[in-house]
Amino acid sequence: MATVRPHAEPFYSRDGRLGVLVLHGFTGSPRSVRPWGEHLAGEGFRVAVPRLPGHGTTWQDLDTTTWADWYDTAEQEFTTLTAACDQVFIAALSVGSSLALRLAEQYGEQVAGLSLVNPIVTQRDIRLRLLPWLRRVLPSFPGVINDIAKPGQDEGGYVRLPLNALYSLVLAGPQLRADLPKVTSPLLIFKSNVDHVVDTSSLPLITSNVGSTDVTVVKLERSYHVATMDYDADQIFSRSSTFFHWLAKH
């Protein structure tokens, strides 16, 4: 078994009747969202921040896993929380948001609300169309990590982007997008004005296709992609907590 990197361990708080599943992004680890989870735990929520399979170890390890593996883990954590809590919310960063949306598609009103940071459900990068062939001759692309405006931050992501794992993510996209109308949970979405990882195509696709009647978009003026470790992190944490508490009372 691959050694888990320092600070990439999962985080759990065991108290609270309101649960929050917090999901990190592709090639990242719990390190990028743990401060979010810790804040929510401090606000009285029962929190689960799992380490998705293949993450927080090596990019080669990630390349032996697929979207189905990551979703299975997210689903198991979600069902564990639903068994212990009165209501369960989901908070997610980047590709973690696609897992969160899939859970909302599958579980409907059991997902009491979603807070998503720089979500991705599609990407215009031409290389993604070539993955069926590229992955046969190249093991990986250069990774894009630490897209953070605030100095001195390190999300602990991989320097390489494994192509087999990436291809599984691409293959999951069509069904995820087709089922967006099944998402009826209230949505709070944070989108950085400057993001060097996710292009501008995902946000309008999500907001124009989900079945949710309660959708709020908050623009982040000072942060890049990993906004949960950036200048706007406190705003994300506090507004998410307020949003979840408000939903629990209504």
Side-chain angles (χ1 to χ4, degrees), residues 23-26 52 67 70-71 74 90 92-105 114 116-122 169 172-173 176-177 180 183 202 206:
L23 299 170
H24 64 78
F26 182 58
L52 300 176
W67 159 271
W70 317 326
Y71 182 76
I90 307 178
L93 168 67
S94 190
V95 169
S97 297
S98 64
L99 297 171
L101 289 166
R102 190 60 181 160
L103 285 167
E105 292 170 354
L114 298 161
L116 311 179
V117 176
N118 292 320
I120 177 171
V121 295
T122 188
L169 176 59
L176 170 68
R177 294 188 290 271
L180 282 174
V183 177
S202 286
I206 294 169

Side-chain angles (χ1 to χ4, degrees), residues 6 16 22 28 62 89 132 143 162 169 186 196 223 231 234:
V22 185
L62 178 57
F89 306 89
L169 176 59
H196 304 97
S223 300
Y231 289 115
D234 287 344

